[in-house]
Amino acid sequence: MSTLLLFPPVADPAHPPLGIASLAGYLTERGRQVTLVDLNIRAYNELLTGQYLDRCARFMRKSLEVFESKPSLSPEYRARYRETAENLLSGGYLIARVDEARVQMRNRATYATRQSYARAAGILRRALQFVSAAHYPAQWTPGGFSMNHDCTSTAGVLDAIRDRRQNLFLPFFERVVPELLAPEHRVIGISLNYYGQLIPAITLASVVRKLSPQSSVVIGGGLICFFEGRWEVLGAFGNYIDGWIPFEGEQPLFALLEALDCGGDLSEVKGLVRFESGKTLYRPAGDPLPADDFPVPNYDGLHLAEYLIPEPVLPVLSSRGCYWGRCAFCSHARLYRDQFRRLGAEAVIHVVSRLHEKYSASCFYFVDEAIPPATASGFAQAVISSCLPFRWFG
């Protein structure tokens, strides 16, 4: 039995996702087969192309003809008409340059001056606006995706995943997902971390369910824990999703796979939210993963050359939770159930050294909620004293 882990749009196109890589590291260390697919970067590379923008332009020109054939337009259609007409003015320019702009974002020379970087990045930002205009009033931005359907409303999300005009990811998923599925994929996991991913993630689940009804579809990720105390809200998506994993996912996902292997009772799986006959079934997760068991991220299967950056930038975690943990306004530590754990500087060096050897990566992005000063200082000193070729930020 194999597990397929999918990362949906929309997120930063400059680096691969850490969440599914951490799950893959944990599962493969325990003998599990895992396949990773980053549909976020695939969307950037297949929808921000001259070919797709030309398709959008043809659709917008037809829409413009319809608008201009009418004696008058309602306020809603006037706004759509204006957005369509204004974007078509730059259509030829963007169609001719968007493919080269993606190439330039992977070229180190582009970053030599502010002007060259701004030119390439600006074309891609305008291309996002152009694609959005073809699906008005949808908005695809580097930071997320929105429609006029409310992503904080269950009914709004259900309407959004069926809206073929606005939801530009629906036909994209219908085209690419069939080639990803295989009979051995007993469990298909989808990572959901931000509200900007919510509509794409549920859309993806609906497509997967239609194409692979025999698979167990599970959604996990940082956003899920914020439904604690109101899990029933998630039950509305039961036609597409078999279970939800809030909080850290390594142990619950492994336990789920073990239970499916032996035909065990899924209600015994700790950390898994399920629904049966309208009833919420949830056994709280056990103790969180100790620092000694933090997996080395496994990015196998993710094509690092596809990201919009000149060299691989790999996300890592030196800690989980926040060492400070006193800010009343902060919700980040909730994912880790307010239990702070950290690796020592030597262990962090070990992790990034393994990633460097395996993926030829020298640049690392620490995505800790707050990097412990002792860890940062110790890591920096080790890099200097051992003349390691690492660059890092957080």
Side-chain angles (χ1 to χ4, degrees), residues 27 33 46-47 73 89 102 121 126 131 142 180 201 209 212 257 268 302 304 306 329-330 350 353:
L27 295 178
Q33 291 186 329
E46 295 188 17
L47 300 184
L73 295 173
L89 292 174
R102 289 197 333 279
R126 281 290 296 114
V131 172
L180 306 176
R209 168 60 77 230
S212 185
L257 296 174
E268 296 298 313
L302 300 179
L304 301 182
E306 293 182 349
F329 62 84
C330 182
H350 171 72
S353 295

mmCIF file of all heavy atoms in Angstrom, residues 27 33 46-47 73 89 102 121 126 131 142 180 201 209 212 257 268 302 304 306 329-330 350 353:
data_model
loop_
_atom_site.group_PDB
_atom_site.id
_atom_site.type_symbol
_atom_site.label_atom_id
_atom_site.label_comp_id
_atom_site.label_asym_id
_atom_site.label_seq_id
_atom_site.Cartn_x
_atom_site.Cartn_y
_atom_site.Cartn_z
ATOM 1 N N LEU A 27 7.350 8.592 7.419
ATOM 2 C CA LEU A 27 6.785 7.339 6.920
ATOM 3 C C LEU A 27 7.839 6.459 6.258
ATOM 4 O O LEU A 27 7.860 5.243 6.466
ATOM 5 C CB LEU A 27 5.654 7.636 5.936
ATOM 6 C CG LEU A 27 4.411 8.332 6.513
ATOM 7 C CD1 LEU A 27 3.401 8.616 5.409
ATOM 8 C CD2 LEU A 27 3.771 7.508 7.621
ATOM 9 N N GLN A 33 5.862 3.402 1.663
ATOM 10 C CA GLN A 33 6.063 4.009 0.349
ATOM 11 C C GLN A 33 5.217 5.276 0.246
ATOM 12 O O GLN A 33 4.015 5.249 0.548
ATOM 13 C CB GLN A 33 5.679 3.042 -0.762
ATOM 14 C CG GLN A 33 6.613 1.856 -0.905
ATOM 15 C CD GLN A 33 6.263 1.003 -2.106
ATOM 16 O OE1 GLN A 33 5.101 0.897 -2.494
ATOM 17 N NE2 GLN A 33 7.268 0.389 -2.712
ATOM 18 N N GLU A 46 2.146 25.646 -15.265
ATOM 19 C CA GLU A 46 1.267 25.249 -16.364
ATOM 20 C C GLU A 46 0.170 26.269 -16.651
ATOM 21 O O GLU A 46 -0.390 26.266 -17.753
ATOM 22 C CB GLU A 46 0.651 23.883 -16.062
ATOM 23 C CG GLU A 46 1.689 22.774 -16.017
ATOM 24 C CD GLU A 46 1.081 21.392 -15.919
ATOM 25 O OE1 GLU A 46 -0.121 21.235 -16.210
ATOM 26 O OE2 GLU A 46 1.829 20.454 -15.544
ATOM 27 N N LEU A 47 -0.139 27.127 -15.687
ATOM 28 C CA LEU A 47 -1.173 28.141 -15.918
ATOM 29 C C LEU A 47 -0.588 29.519 -16.193
ATOM 30 O O LEU A 47 -1.262 30.359 -16.786
ATOM 31 C CB LEU A 47 -2.124 28.205 -14.719
ATOM 32 C CG LEU A 47 -2.871 26.904 -14.390
ATOM 33 C CD1 LEU A 47 -3.855 27.120 -13.254
ATOM 34 C CD2 LEU A 47 -3.587 26.340 -15.618
ATOM 35 N N LEU A 73 -25.456 47.595 -19.015
ATOM 36 C CA LEU A 73 -24.943 46.565 -18.125
ATOM 37 C C LEU A 73 -25.278 46.917 -16.676
ATOM 38 O O LEU A 73 -25.260 48.089 -16.290
ATOM 39 C CB LEU A 73 -23.422 46.435 -18.273
ATOM 40 C CG LEU A 73 -22.879 45.957 -19.629
ATOM 41 C CD1 LEU A 73 -21.364 46.045 -19.645
ATOM 42 C CD2 LEU A 73 -23.318 44.525 -19.898
ATOM 43 N N LEU A 89 -5.818 44.851 -22.667
ATOM 44 C CA LEU A 89 -4.864 45.808 -23.214
ATOM 45 C C LEU A 89 -3.429 45.314 -23.108
ATOM 46 O O LEU A 89 -2.581 45.636 -23.948
ATOM 47 C CB LEU A 89 -5.006 47.164 -22.499
ATOM 48 C CG LEU A 89 -6.305 47.930 -22.744
ATOM 49 C CD1 LEU A 89 -6.369 49.163 -21.865
ATOM 50 C CD2 LEU A 89 -6.431 48.307 -24.215
ATOM 51 N N ARG A 102 9.327 33.311 -16.348
ATOM 52 C CA ARG A 102 9.523 32.153 -15.466
ATOM 53 C C ARG A 102 10.948 31.643 -15.555
ATOM 54 O O ARG A 102 11.559 31.297 -14.546
ATOM 55 C CB ARG A 102 8.544 31.021 -15.802
ATOM 56 C CG ARG A 102 7.106 31.311 -15.429
ATOM 57 C CD ARG A 102 6.247 30.053 -15.381
ATOM 58 N NE ARG A 102 6.709 28.978 -16.236
ATOM 59 C CZ ARG A 102 6.487 28.877 -17.541
ATOM 60 N NH1 ARG A 102 5.777 29.814 -18.156
ATOM 61 N NH2 ARG A 102 6.948 27.861 -18.245
ATOM 62 N N ALA A 121 9.544 39.539 -12.061
ATOM 63 C CA ALA A 121 8.506 39.308 -11.059
ATOM 64 C C ALA A 121 7.242 40.072 -11.401
ATOM 65 O O ALA A 121 6.123 39.580 -11.193
ATOM 66 C CB ALA A 121 9.011 39.703 -9.674
ATOM 67 N N ARG A 126 1.523 40.341 -13.041
ATOM 68 C CA ARG A 126 0.505 40.778 -13.991
ATOM 69 C C ARG A 126 -0.174 39.575 -14.652
ATOM 70 O O ARG A 126 -1.367 39.605 -14.947
ATOM 71 C CB ARG A 126 1.136 41.680 -15.062
ATOM 72 C CG ARG A 126 1.376 43.092 -14.602
ATOM 73 C CD ARG A 126 0.068 43.872 -14.421
ATOM 74 N NE ARG A 126 -0.637 44.034 -15.687
ATOM 75 C CZ ARG A 126 -1.808 43.497 -15.995
ATOM 76 N NH1 ARG A 126 -2.438 42.737 -15.110
ATOM 77 N NH2 ARG A 126 -2.377 43.702 -17.166
ATOM 78 N N VAL A 131 -4.953 36.075 -15.536
ATOM 79 C CA VAL A 131 -5.700 34.827 -15.369
ATOM 80 C C VAL A 131 -6.913 35.057 -14.466
ATOM 81 O O VAL A 131 -8.010 34.548 -14.725
ATOM 82 C CB VAL A 131 -4.787 33.728 -14.798
ATOM 83 C CG1 VAL A 131 -5.594 32.485 -14.442
ATOM 84 C CG2 VAL A 131 -3.694 33.373 -15.796
ATOM 85 N N PRO A 142 0.070 35.830 -5.288
ATOM 86 C CA PRO A 142 1.139 35.026 -4.691
ATOM 87 C C PRO A 142 0.807 34.574 -3.270
ATOM 88 O O PRO A 142 1.379 33.588 -2.788
ATOM 89 C CB PRO A 142 2.343 35.978 -4.694
ATOM 90 C CG PRO A 142 2.059 36.945 -5.802
ATOM 91 C CD PRO A 142 0.574 37.132 -5.778
ATOM 92 N N LEU A 180 -1.863 11.176 -11.822
ATOM 93 C CA LEU A 180 -1.168 11.003 -10.549
ATOM 94 C C LEU A 180 -1.643 9.777 -9.784
ATOM 95 O O LEU A 180 -0.919 9.241 -8.943
ATOM 96 C CB LEU A 180 -1.365 12.240 -9.660
ATOM 97 C CG LEU A 180 -0.995 13.590 -10.265
ATOM 98 C CD1 LEU A 180 -1.351 14.713 -9.288
ATOM 99 C CD2 LEU A 180 0.486 13.634 -10.626
ATOM 100 N N ALA A 201 -8.038 23.175 -1.933
ATOM 101 C CA ALA A 201 -7.865 21.871 -1.279
ATOM 102 C C ALA A 201 -9.151 21.052 -1.331
ATOM 103 O O ALA A 201 -9.122 19.840 -1.635
ATOM 104 C CB ALA A 201 -7.411 22.055 0.164
ATOM 105 N N ARG A 209 -11.927 12.230 -5.107
ATOM 106 C CA ARG A 209 -13.006 11.302 -4.729
ATOM 107 C C ARG A 209 -13.717 10.758 -5.964
ATOM 108 O O ARG A 209 -14.023 9.558 -6.052
ATOM 109 C CB ARG A 209 -14.003 12.029 -3.827
ATOM 110 C CG ARG A 209 -15.308 11.316 -3.589
ATOM 111 C CD ARG A 209 -15.117 9.944 -2.912
ATOM 112 N NE ARG A 209 -14.855 10.088 -1.509
ATOM 113 C CZ ARG A 209 -13.854 9.499 -0.853
ATOM 114 N NH1 ARG A 209 -13.007 8.717 -1.496
ATOM 115 N NH2 ARG A 209 -13.679 9.681 0.440
ATOM 116 N N SER A 212 -11.117 8.392 -7.755
ATOM 117 C CA SER A 212 -10.587 7.270 -6.989
ATOM 118 C C SER A 212 -11.470 7.014 -5.771
ATOM 119 O O SER A 212 -11.050 7.221 -4.628
ATOM 120 C CB SER A 212 -9.137 7.555 -6.563
ATOM 121 O OG SER A 212 -8.571 6.448 -5.911
ATOM 122 N N LEU A 257 -2.436 4.328 8.622
ATOM 123 C CA LEU A 257 -1.960 3.357 7.637
ATOM 124 C C LEU A 257 -1.852 1.961 8.253
ATOM 125 O O LEU A 257 -2.214 0.959 7.621
ATOM 126 C CB LEU A 257 -0.604 3.800 7.081
ATOM 127 C CG LEU A 257 -0.601 5.117 6.301
ATOM 128 C CD1 LEU A 257 0.826 5.518 5.931
ATOM 129 C CD2 LEU A 257 -1.456 5.024 5.055
ATOM 130 N N GLU A 268 -10.099 3.844 16.694
ATOM 131 C CA GLU A 268 -9.020 3.709 17.671
ATOM 132 C C GLU A 268 -7.791 4.530 17.292
ATOM 133 O O GLU A 268 -6.842 4.617 18.068
ATOM 134 C CB GLU A 268 -8.627 2.235 17.815
ATOM 135 C CG GLU A 268 -9.730 1.340 18.366
ATOM 136 C CD GLU A 268 -10.134 1.744 19.772
ATOM 137 O OE1 GLU A 268 -9.243 1.954 20.610
ATOM 138 O OE2 GLU A 268 -11.360 1.856 20.021
ATOM 139 N N LEU A 302 9.841 15.538 -5.614
ATOM 140 C CA LEU A 302 9.570 16.948 -5.929
ATOM 141 C C LEU A 302 10.712 17.460 -6.804
ATOM 142 O O LEU A 302 11.886 17.338 -6.447
ATOM 143 C CB LEU A 302 9.460 17.779 -4.649
ATOM 144 C CG LEU A 302 8.347 17.360 -3.681
ATOM 145 C CD1 LEU A 302 8.358 18.245 -2.446
ATOM 146 C CD2 LEU A 302 6.980 17.412 -4.352
ATOM 147 N N LEU A 304 13.003 19.913 -7.822
ATOM 148 C CA LEU A 304 13.463 21.164 -7.231
ATOM 149 C C LEU A 304 13.824 22.214 -8.280
ATOM 150 O O LEU A 304 13.797 23.411 -7.987
ATOM 151 C CB LEU A 304 14.657 20.887 -6.314
ATOM 152 C CG LEU A 304 14.375 19.909 -5.156
ATOM 153 C CD1 LEU A 304 15.609 19.743 -4.283
ATOM 154 C CD2 LEU A 304 13.185 20.376 -4.320
ATOM 155 N N GLU A 306 12.026 23.030 -10.691
ATOM 156 C CA GLU A 306 10.807 23.665 -11.194
ATOM 157 C C GLU A 306 10.433 24.934 -10.428
ATOM 158 O O GLU A 306 9.598 25.715 -10.886
ATOM 159 C CB GLU A 306 9.639 22.680 -11.116
ATOM 160 C CG GLU A 306 9.765 21.492 -12.064
ATOM 161 C CD GLU A 306 8.567 20.571 -11.980
ATOM 162 O OE1 GLU A 306 7.748 20.742 -11.044
ATOM 163 O OE2 GLU A 306 8.453 19.694 -12.848
ATOM 164 N N PHE A 329 -1.976 37.263 21.644
ATOM 165 C CA PHE A 329 -2.601 37.381 20.326
ATOM 166 C C PHE A 329 -2.192 36.254 19.378
ATOM 167 O O PHE A 329 -2.802 36.070 18.332
ATOM 168 C CB PHE A 329 -2.217 38.715 19.674
ATOM 169 C CG PHE A 329 -0.745 38.860 19.440
ATOM 170 C CD1 PHE A 329 -0.140 38.325 18.317
ATOM 171 C CD2 PHE A 329 0.055 39.523 20.360
ATOM 172 C CE1 PHE A 329 1.219 38.446 18.102
ATOM 173 C CE2 PHE A 329 1.411 39.655 20.154
ATOM 174 C CZ PHE A 329 2.006 39.108 19.035
ATOM 175 N N CYS A 330 -1.158 35.483 19.731
ATOM 176 C CA CYS A 330 -0.562 34.550 18.773
ATOM 177 C C CYS A 330 -1.302 33.219 18.755
ATOM 178 O O CYS A 330 -1.641 32.664 19.799
ATOM 179 C CB CYS A 330 0.908 34.327 19.121
ATOM 180 S SG CYS A 330 1.731 33.224 17.958
ATOM 181 N N HIS A 350 23.232 18.275 11.474
ATOM 182 C CA HIS A 350 23.077 16.934 10.902
ATOM 183 C C HIS A 350 21.959 16.913 9.857
ATOM 184 O O HIS A 350 22.126 16.337 8.764
ATOM 185 C CB HIS A 350 22.776 15.927 12.020
ATOM 186 C CG HIS A 350 22.399 14.569 11.523
ATOM 187 N ND1 HIS A 350 23.304 13.693 10.947
ATOM 188 C CD2 HIS A 350 21.187 13.917 11.509
ATOM 189 C CE1 HIS A 350 22.685 12.586 10.589
ATOM 190 N NE2 HIS A 350 21.409 12.687 10.915
ATOM 191 N N SER A 353 22.935 18.967 6.757
ATOM 192 C CA SER A 353 24.025 18.285 6.048
ATOM 193 C C SER A 353 23.487 17.126 5.221
ATOM 194 O O SER A 353 23.924 16.899 4.081
ATOM 195 C CB SER A 353 25.073 17.784 7.040
ATOM 196 O OG SER A 353 25.707 18.871 7.698
#
